[in-house]
Amino acid sequence: MRLRALLETDALGLRLLGGEDELDRTVRGVMTTDLRDPSRYLSGGELVLTGLAWRRDAADSEPFVRILAGAGVAGLAAGEAELGDIPADLVEACLHHRLPLFAVHETVAFATITEYVVRQVSGERAGDLAAVVDRHRRLMTSGPAGGGPEVVLDLLTSDLDLRAWVLSPTGRQIAGAGAPLPGPLGATLAGHHLAATRTGRRAPHRAAVGGTTYSLFPIRNTGRGAVPAARDVRESVLSDWLLAVEADASDWPAARLDLLQGVTQLIAVERDRRDAARTVRRRLAQEVLELVQAGAAPAEIAARLRVAAPVLLPGLGVAPQWQVVVARVDWSASGQAAAAGEIASGPVAQALLEEILVDPAVSGPDSADRIAVAHTGEEAIALVPLPALITAPPEHDDDGASAESDGEDADALAGEPGLHADALLASVREPLTAGLADDGRLTLAVSAAVHSAEGLRGALEEARHARRVAAARPGRVCAAGHHELASHVLLLPFVPDDVRRAFTARLLDPLRDYDRRHRAELIETLEAFLDCDGSWTRCAARLHLHVNTLRYRVGRIEQLTGRDLSRLEDKLDFFLALRMS
């Protein structure tokens, strides 16, 4: 359809403010947003609806319109309900960029315009979608009372006998029809989707899990067959929602595929609403972070926290304790992809940290409404009030490793309230590893709890130091906690690689060579002996050996290395060599 048809439809209440010569532009979709930069959700040809919540002063209009024009949108429609008359600076910016601008009368809901555009654009290819939308107008209401994604998923079940779920990139269920997906299944499906997206395969993606086939659709504001926006997929792959349908779409006719693509466009409206709602929390976090980094007086920081507390802790006044979480996503250049330096990693880490901090047992799009995350440079930094989220101590993941394997003592942490670094990543490590593929890394760290504004600067530095400890570890997804800054673990990652290799080779290579030739298990014996603090009886019991056999093995270790395991210095050298190997 063309923009001119919208202007000629009286029920839509549109008034042209500029761009009369551009009214023959084709409209391929519709998007509602109040984001300052919605470019990653635009593919070209959209009618963009906005309530102007992104505009704080006249200087904001030009960059916003420039972004829309650069993305190739068909036109902009601004609501009069919030500010009354459309600001002159917005009209001027649209004239400058030749972007048609409409005013939407305050009595006309964006949902009415959205329904009309979706019906006109999708009607020829998916008449059943238009019928569904017509019968359930409440689906696209401008506020949360419309039911959100749950409504359209219920319709898929009742009208088309399809079970479907909206999932976050970590596999957390945001909406669903019928029984919820088990957490591990959601994570597995998200991992399949992220891996397929990173390889550039065309959606929908097919995943067979436990004898059941699922089709995975990205949730984006694009029509089927539309030209993708010119951006690096790594900028959005870790934040986009997906629609998982319990069916094999590989043999579906084009009309049904168009229907599901239309559904994802409707759900994308809910995603945009959620992102707009996070703007206030992000701004509060950014203001507090800037004060902390600038060395502001504790009284000034405390005053800003008092402003933030009602938003983050409604009904609780002020938070008794706060924690700081720092995360970073790093990309390396690969093949013909854009250089890693061209990817704005800060916003990627910000969106991802907002998702990670949500309790995985909580479903729904608004379950992160007490999480404030800012970003500075390449880092994302979260200010977390402890009453808002209490995470259980680390659990064993699939390969048997626990949080202790990443350096945190699970027993020590079990009785401590608040966030624990490795526990945050326990349920999301699998899908995020798939999304990071072979060129990305996520590192995350958590500070200790602080009880006042005076402690926030130290907490921020503590979390940043711990993140650098995590970054020195192998793996795509790594975490570290503040406890590790009080032990040798803090020092080991910063030993130069050539020094580490030389040190460990000198002490451990003779034992490894001997083990390969004789299967003597000297390395295993050394680890157990040190872990038992040099106790012969406890070590022998752990290894199921006679004490004399243990003494023989320890003697062989000393003979091969020229060290004496009765001396503290030699025990310490072996201990460090094992930790660095």
Side-chain angles (χ1 to χ4, degrees), residues 79-84 104-107:
E80 295 179 324
E82 188 72 22
L83 300 179
V104 182
H105 194 271
E106 63 182 5
T107 60

Side-chain angles (χ1 to χ4, degrees), residues 202-424:
R202 184 174 179 175
H205 309 305
R206 184 179 182 276
V209 182
T212 302
T213 299
Y214 299 86
S215 295
L216 311 174
F217 296 79
I219 293 178
R220 300 176 189 145
N221 254 324
T222 60
R224 183 171 179 262
V227 178
R231 58 175 173 79
D232 194 309
V233 69
R234 292 177 290 184
E235 293 181 353
S236 63
V237 68
L238 297 178
S239 59
D240 283 345
W241 289 357
L242 66 134
L243 177 68
V245 180
E246 190 180 299
D248 187 350
S250 59
D251 57 353
W252 281 5
R256 176 155 290 207
L257 285 173
D258 286 340
L259 167 61
L260 266 293
Q261 296 290 354
V263 167
T264 63
Q265 291 184 30
L266 300 184
I267 296 173
V269 174
E270 174 67 25
R271 171 63 187 269
D272 293 341
R273 185 193 68 79
R274 186 211 64 161
D275 283 344
R278 284 186 171 180
T279 302
V280 174
R281 295 191 297 277
R282 287 175 170 177
R283 189 178 303 153
L284 287 171
Q286 195 73 41
E287 291 173 354
V288 174
L289 174 63
E290 289 173 357
L291 289 174
V292 171
Q293 293 190 127
E300 186 178 358
I301 299 174
R304 184 59 60 187
L305 284 176
R306 284 193 294 273
V307 173
V311 178
L312 301 178
L313 293 167
L316 293 180
V318 275
Q321 297 182 86
W322 300 85
Q323 277 183 291
V324 174
V325 183
V326 174
R328 177 168 173 147
V329 175
D330 292 291
W331 302 101
S332 59
S334 60
Q336 300 300 315
E342 297 175 4
I343 301 174
S345 296
V348 175
Q350 181 182 40
L352 185 56
L353 185 54
E354 286 171 336
E355 173 61 29
I356 290 172
L357 288 173
V358 179
D359 185 342
V362 177
S363 63
D366 297 320
S367 50
D369 61 356
R370 293 182 179 178
I371 295 167
V373 183
H375 74 82
T376 174
E378 302 303 302
E379 284 182 336
I381 301 170
L383 185 66
V384 183
L386 282 190
L389 183 60
I390 300 298
T391 301
E395 297 180 358
H396 290 273
D397 40 26
D398 293 340
D399 61 0
S402 69
E404 189 174 359
S405 65
D406 275 345
E408 291 193 66
D409 190 322
D411 293 334
L413 296 177
E416 181 179 328
L419 304 173
H420 303 148
D422 200 71
L424 287 174

